[in-house]
Every structure is written in structure tokens, then in C-alpha cells.
């Protein structure tokens, strides 16, 4: 059940100085007013640019008025227009604020409010250094002003391409000097740039292209990190692109910044931005013309949050965005959307009857949502009934969503199954039962609740361990968020271990496999430790690798979605993930792990079964594929390839390993492998001996090992067969053969003589077959006695 919210009026403007005038200002004018609240929530500033002079266009209203001078400002041509109203940290009093009124030509008035005295002008300053400069966009960050200014070229007939890059992004700090408030030195963040709108979060400044006149520059955003003096290039269609630390003013040139990324940027899709705003979580909120709400994080990554209803947004339509704690509030065409910005879940959708609505700051109450309308200030709160109609925990809602996906995948019907149908249908009892148990358990953590139905009591006792595990997992997540930096790594390792274990004990579908891929990519070391723990991998007293994983876990490791099922989107099967982890952290264990998996496959699936993993691609070949993706040709890789081939004990793999050893000229290892694997089968013995006999015919490298080699000769090979193989593989000489050649690499009859003698002296195979019959005392055998 979704949470129900309600609007409650908290002010009718009677608690504001000149409250009736505030209400009149909000109701007047064809263009909507712009309203800003002070950081402490005690002052409202109303800006109405359309009011004709000498009427004030900026008016401040104080809550709980204690008297003093009011703030009213107006301007008229030829004075430039207002560029921004900004609240900054006061350089005079720690923890207080000042108001900066900035005009387009750089004139800046700094005001502060004093109890009983009212508004006082501290200083009038010049923000820009050039007389011809014009401020396009301005924002504040702490005690700093950041702005984008236009610097017209001196030559009126300059090239249009040069004129497009006539903008500059600068910053100055508000400081306290001997003569009062002053501005610090100008710091150039970016010069020779296109026009940007600047938006500041507490730690970062986002630069959003203001126009789409040049195709390349309207495809990406810039993020400035003041503490690191770094600029990041990011694009919603591609994510993080490039980052550069600006060590000198020459590196702040826009064109030099893009020099190494022009090729990549040219292939990107243009930005689709209807509205932008800064979130309280340091991210940048973007609304596209299609109504999609996305969040660009300070590191350049992007995630989708929500899709607003109503189709494409008109060019002049207004969309307001503001975050209150973890809730994102969106106002579009009189409809208020409240969205959980972490999960993207729609919490509440409410149609408002007010014509004009503004979001206000809620100091000290970040989850409190306040709306300013023409009739007063309203607070939005969620109802909290004491019975079963109380808001459902997010976890319970997730149960129904997961169950909906689960049943939809297994349904033969074409109709779409929704959470509402699942709750009301009464057909699927499992999610209803689980939701009831979870609600019961969560309520017991908060306050005593009514008893659980008898139907679910037995199920609750069965699930008690799982519930306890879930509660400890939630506690661990809280520890990760609140832990100091020195302890985060250990908490993350524990969290990753629990998550890997949880996924291995659930259905290994494509979503879970993609999730595991992201865990292994983000936390490789923690994922390796979690794998060892889940498979219970360790060395025994003899130094051999053993695994005590349950059959269910083995089936998840080997029987999940394979490469042809997951596609080419970078997701790899779980077996390949684990092999890559072995290669990174414990390479010498990989062949033993492949051998262990083969042992498990031989027990669980019939040989060459198409359901089993060996029926698709052999496990040793999958491990070799992981090794090949390392793209590093080295002696260690050759050795690993050799071990993986041999650990499979498959005839083709053993012969491939033998040829690899021959290519590497490791003759002693060649003989050792031949001696060990010839015992597996007569057919493999014959293939190994024939291969080595062919090598023997071509060079003299195997001569020191002939005694061992001749012992491997299969019983069915005759002297004629041996001579045929030798003659076929003799090296072709370019010169006429010379008796008693001085070269020592010639094959002689003397080298073959021990082998030929051994074959000739060996009993004939057919004689052995009939020897028992020939030695029989009577022929034919006597008739067996009859049974009476």
C-alpha cells in the first residue's frame, strides 16, 4: 500500500511583515514571480522583473517581524538587468549569511540583516574586471561567487566561430578587509568557452550548455571540483569521458581541455535538457523534453530516476525540482510528484488547485516539504494511522514488485501483471504471506503490534534465521554509511560477502548475474574473499585445493546463464567471473579449481549431457577463454595454459598440451606428461607415442629419454608401423645423403634398434588371444552335468 499524503496550511502570511502586500505581489503580474527563502527560513525575497519602475522589483519580507529597515530595490534602463539574488556565507560573522544582488554588468550589492535595525547595505562591489563584460549566469558556493561572463571581441567583424567562444567562467571569494567587505582576486576556471549556465552544490559546480548553436559543445556537461582544481567532462549518453587537473591558467583553455576527446565527443548524441537543478546529495538533476528525470553524479556517472507523465514537455512549460532529504519533489502542470530519489519509486502524486507554487527551504527539517502559494505556505506530510492502513515499509513494497517480475516471467498469459493485481487477486499467496511476516517483524522492532495469523506462524518460525540475517544485513549497511574511513573497507568486505552469498542462494537469472558482475567489478578483492568463503575453498594437509560447497551452490556456479544467453553487453557467466578472480588473486589455484568443478560435473550430470555445462563448452576451454582475455603473452601464461589443458584429462586437451610443450622445447616435461597420461587409455597412448616418434625422427632432442619412450610403445604397433611413421617424418635434406656424415643430428639404425628388437621379441597379439584355448587339456570342453 502506498503512503497517503496530505497538505496542511502552516501560514496564511499573517506572520510576515507586510503579509497582505506579499499576497498581492504573488497574485499580480502575468509572468510568474521568482521567490527565494533565506538559509534560516525567516525571510522571503520576491523578484518580479515585469513590474514597471519606480515600483520595487525586489522586495524582502520578514517572518515574525521585529521592526527595522525593509529591503526594496528597483532598476530601470539604461541600468542592466538583474543577474541573480544569492545567499552567501558571511565573512563578518561565522554561521550567518549575507545577500548578494548581482546585476549583469557586474555591479554587486552586499546586504545583511540585523535584528531591530533591519536590512543594511554592507558594500557595493564590482564583480567583473572588464568594463565590457556581461554576466550571463551566476551562483554561490559557500562564501564564493561563481559566474559565466561574456567578453565581446574587440573587433566587431570577428569570425562567428571565434565569437561563439567568447565566454569565461570565473570565481571570487567574499572576504573581510580593513574597509569592510571586499572581493578576493579573480580566478579563471575556464576561458575561451561557449555560454554556460552555472549551478553550484556545496562541493561542486556544474556547467550546463546554455545554447545548442555548436553541435559538439552541446553534447556534454562540465563539472568543476574547486578543492581539487579539476574539470570533468561527462555526457548523459556516454557517462564519464575525461578529467583534467588545471595546474595553470593555460590549461584552463576550453579548446585545449577538449583536445584529446574531440573524436569521442563528435559521435555522441546532443544533450536533451528541458530543466536542470542541483540536488541536496551533490548531484545534478536533469529533466529531458520527454519527461525523463536523471541524476548526474559528481564523478560523471548518470542514473535514471523517474519518468514524468504527460509525454513530451512543451518548450515554455515550467518544471520545478527540489530535494527534501531523500525525496525528490517535481511540480509539472499543477501536478506534484514525490519520488524516492534513491529507488525511483513514486511515493505520491497529487493534483494541486493552486495556480503558482514555489518550493521553500525547510531549515532543520530536511524531510519536511513546504510549498509557497498565493494563499499561504503549506506543508506536505504523510498520514500515520495506527492500524493496518499505516504506510507500508519500502521492503514490503519491494516484495510485491519482485513477485510481480517472478510470476510475469513464468506466465503464459500476454496480459501484464501489476502489483495492484497481485495484491487484490488473491491467487498468489506467497508474496502476501511474506509481506505479512515482514510487516509483523518490522513492527516488533518499533512497538508492540497485533499477533500474526496462525496460518503464517509456522512459516515465521521457519524463516526466523533468514529474517535475522536480513536485519543484520540492514544493520551492516548502516555501519558502512556511518563508519569512519579507516573501517569502511572491512565493512564493505563483509557486506559484499553477504550479498554474494545471498545471490548464490537465489535464482541465478540474468539480473542477478549482471548484479554479480557489477560487484566483482567494483569490489574485486572483497568479491574474491566472498567467493572463497561461499565455496569454502582451502588447502588440505597435502597442499591440495578442496571445496566444501553445497550442491546448490555448485549448480549456481556452473549452471547459470551462459554467454550466448547473456549477450555481448559485458556481462560474463559466473564461472568465468570466478576464474578471472582466481587469475587476479590466486593464479596457482585455478587449475585445481577447474579440476574440482569437473569432478562435481561428472557426479551431477551424465557425460556429454546437454543440460550440463560440459555439454556446451568444456570447462577447461571456458577457463582458457578467461586467460586469453588477459592479452598478455608471457611464460606464466604459457604455464597456466598448460596446466589448464592437463587438468581436464581430455584426450584432445592432453595432446594440445603435448604439442605446446614440444613448441616450447621442454623435452623432459614432454616425456613426463607422456608417461603420466599414456595410462589413461590405449587410444591416447597410441596418439602420444606416435607424436613423440615423429619428433624423434626429426631431431635428436629426445635421445636422452629413449629408454622411457620405448616403454610407452603400444602393444598393437608392429615394426612395419614404426618404420612407416619414421620414414614419413624424416627431415628433407637439400643435399645428397652422404655416408658417415659428420653432422650429429642424423637418425641411425642404431638408435631405432632397441625399439625394433623390443617389438619383434614381443608375443604376437593373436597368439595371446588364442593361447588359453591352445593350452586347454581337452577340446572341445566336456558337457556340463545336467540338473535333475
Amino acid at each position: 500500500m502506498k503512503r497517503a499524503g496530505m497538505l496542511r496550511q502552516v501560514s496564511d502570511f499573517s506572520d510576515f511583515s507586510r503579509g497582505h502586500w506579499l499576497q498581492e505581489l504573488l497574485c499580480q503580474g502575468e509572468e510568474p514571480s521568482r521567490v527565494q527563502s533565506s538559509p534560516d527560513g525567516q525571510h522571503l525575497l520576491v523578484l518580479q522583473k515585469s513590474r514597471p519602475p519606480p515600483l520595487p522589483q525586489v522586495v524582502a519580507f520578514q517572518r515574525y517581524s521585529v521592526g527595522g529597515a525593509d529591503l526594496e530595490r528597483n532598476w530601470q534602463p539604461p541600468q542592466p538587468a538583474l543577474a541573480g539574488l544569492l545567499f552567501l556565507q558571511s565573512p563578518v560573522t561565522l554561521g550567518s549569511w549575507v545577500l548578494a544582488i548581482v546585476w549583469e554588468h557586474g555591479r554587486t550589492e552586499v546586504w545583511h540583516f540585523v535584528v531591530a535595525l533591519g536590512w543594511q547595505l554592507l558594500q557595493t562591489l564590482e564583480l567583473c574586471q572588464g568594463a565590457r563584460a556581461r554576466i550571463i549566469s551566476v551562483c554561490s558556493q559557500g562564501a564564493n561567487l561563481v559566474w559565466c561572463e561574456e567578453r565581446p571581441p574587440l573587433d566587431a567583424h570577428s569570425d562567428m566561430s571565434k565569437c561563439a567562444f567568447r565566454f569565461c567562467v570565473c570565481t571570487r571569494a567574499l572576504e573581510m578587509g580593513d574597509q569592510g567587505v571586499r572581493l578576493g582576486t579573480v580566478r579563471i576556471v575556464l576561458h575561451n568557452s561557449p555560454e554556460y549556465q552555472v549551478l553550484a552544490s556545496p562541493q561542486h559546480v556544474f556547467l550546463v550548455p546554455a545554447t545548442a548553436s555548436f553541435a559538439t559543445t552541446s553534447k556534454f556537461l562540465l563539472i568543476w571540483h574547486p578543492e581539487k582544481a579539476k574539470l570533468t567532462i561527462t555526457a548523459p549518453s556516454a557517462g564519464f569521458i575525461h578529467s583534467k587537473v588545471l595546474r595553470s591558467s593555460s590549461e584552463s583553455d576550453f579548446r585545449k581541455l577538449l583536445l584529446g576527446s574531440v573524436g569521442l565527443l563528435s559521435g555522441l548524441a546532443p544533450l536533451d535538457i528541458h530543466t536542470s537543478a542541483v540536488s541536496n546529495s551533490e548531484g545534478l538533476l536533469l529533466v529531458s523534453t520527454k519527461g525523463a528525470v536523471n541524476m548526474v553524479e559528481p564523478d560523471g556517472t548518470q542514473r535514471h530516476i523517474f519518468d514524468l507523465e504527460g509525454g513530451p514537455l512543451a518548450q515554455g512549460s515550467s518544471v520545478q525540482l527540489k530535494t527534501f532529504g531523500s525525496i525528490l519533489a517535481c511540480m509539472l502542470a499543477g501536478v506534484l510528484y514525490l519520488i524516492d530519489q534513491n529507488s525511483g519509486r513514486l511515493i505520491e502524486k497529487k493534483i494541486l488547485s493552486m495556480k503558482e507554487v514555489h518550493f521553500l527551504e525547510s531549515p532543520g527539517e530536511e524531510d519536511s516539504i513546504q510549498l509557497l502559494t498565493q494563499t499561504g505556505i503549506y506543508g506536505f506530510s504523510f498520514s500515520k494511522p495506527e492500524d493496518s492502513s499505516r504506510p507500508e515499509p519500502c521492503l514490503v513494497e519491494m516484495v510485491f514488485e519482485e513477485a510481480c517480475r517472478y510470476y510475469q516471467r513464468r506466465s503464459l498469459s500476454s496480459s501484464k501483471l501489476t502489483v495492484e493485481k497481485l495484491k487484490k487477486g488473491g491467487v498468489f499467496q506467497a508474496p502476501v504471506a511474506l509481506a505479512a511476516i515482514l510487516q509483523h517483524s518490522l513492527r516488533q522492532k518499533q512497538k508492540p503490534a497485533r499477533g500474526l495469523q496462525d496460518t503464517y506462524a509456522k512459516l515465521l518460525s521457519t524463516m526466523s534465521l533468514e529474517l535475522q540475517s536480513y536485519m543484520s544485513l540492514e544493520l551492516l549497511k548502516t555501519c558502512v554509511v556511518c563508519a569512519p574511513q579507516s573501517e569502511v573497507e572491512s565493512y564493505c568486505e563483509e557486506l559484499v560477502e553477504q550479498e554474494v552469498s545471498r545471490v548464490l542462494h537465489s535464482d541465478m537469472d540474468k539480473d542477478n548475474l549482471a548484479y554479480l558482475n557489477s560487484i566483482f567489478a567494483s569490489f574485486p578483492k572483497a568479491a574474491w574473499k566472498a567467493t572463497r568463503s561461499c565455496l569454502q575453498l582451502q588447502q588440505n594437509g597435502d597442499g591440495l585445493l578442496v571445496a566444501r560447497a553445497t550442491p546448490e551452490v555448485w549448480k549456481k556456479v556452473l549452471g547459470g546463464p551462459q554467454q550466448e544467453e547473456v549477450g555481448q553487453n559485458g556481462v560474463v557467466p559466473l564461472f568465468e567471473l570466478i576464474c578471472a578472480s582466481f587469475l587476479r588473486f590466486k593464479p596457482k589455484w585455478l587449475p585445481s579449481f577447474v579440476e574440482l568443478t569437473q569432478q562435481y560435473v561428472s557426479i551431477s550430470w551424465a557425460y556429454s549431457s546437454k543440460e550440463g555445462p560440459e555439454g556446451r563448452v568444456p570447462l577447461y576451454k571456458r577457463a582458457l577463454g578467461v586467460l586469453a582475455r588477459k592479452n598478455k603473452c608471457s611464460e606464466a601464461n604459457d604455464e597456466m595454459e598448460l596446466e589448464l589443458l592437463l587438468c581436464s584429462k581430455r584426450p584432445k586437451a592432453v595432446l594440445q598440451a603435448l604439442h605446446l610443450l614440444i613448441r616450447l622445447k621442454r623435452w623432459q616435461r614432454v616425456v613426463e606428461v607422456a608417461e603420466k597420461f599414456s595410462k589413461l587409455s590405449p587410444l591416447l597412448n597410441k596418439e602420444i607415442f606416435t607424436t613423440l616418434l615423429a619428433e624423434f625422427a626429426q631431431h635428436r632432442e629426445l635421445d636422452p629419454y629413449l629408454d622411457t619412450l620405448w616403454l610407452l610403445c603400444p602393444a598393437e604397433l608392429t615394426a612395419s608401423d614404426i618404420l612407416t611413421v619414421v620414414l614419413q617424418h624424416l627431415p628433407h635434406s637439400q643435399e645428397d645423403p652422404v655416408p658417415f656424415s659428420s653432422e650429429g643430428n642424423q637418425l641411425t639404425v642404431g638408435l631405432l634398434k632397441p625399439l625394433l628388437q623390443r617389438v619383434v621379441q614381443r608375443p604376437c597379439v593373436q597368439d595371446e588371444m588364442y593361447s588359453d584355448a591352445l593350452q586347454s587339456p581337452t577340446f572341445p570342453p566336456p558337457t556340463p552335468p545336467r540338473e535333475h
Side-chain angles (χ1 to χ4, degrees), residues 79 135 173 273 367 537 758:
Q79 186 176 353
I135 294 179
I273 300 176
D367 289 321
L537 292 169
R758 183 183 180 84

Side-chain angles (χ1 to χ4, degrees), residues 140-176:
S140 62
Q141 186 183 61
N144 295 288
L145 287 166
V146 183
W147 72 95
C148 176
E149 67 177 46
E150 180 185 12
R151 294 182 173 181
L154 297 175
D155 184 7
H157 303 285
S158 296
D159 185 25
M160 282 299 295
S161 62
K162 293 182 180 179
C163 291
F165 298 96
R166 64 184 183 274
F167 298 89
C168 182
V169 179
C170 311
T171 178
R172 293 181 84 168
L174 203 62
E175 301 173 350
M176 190 65 190

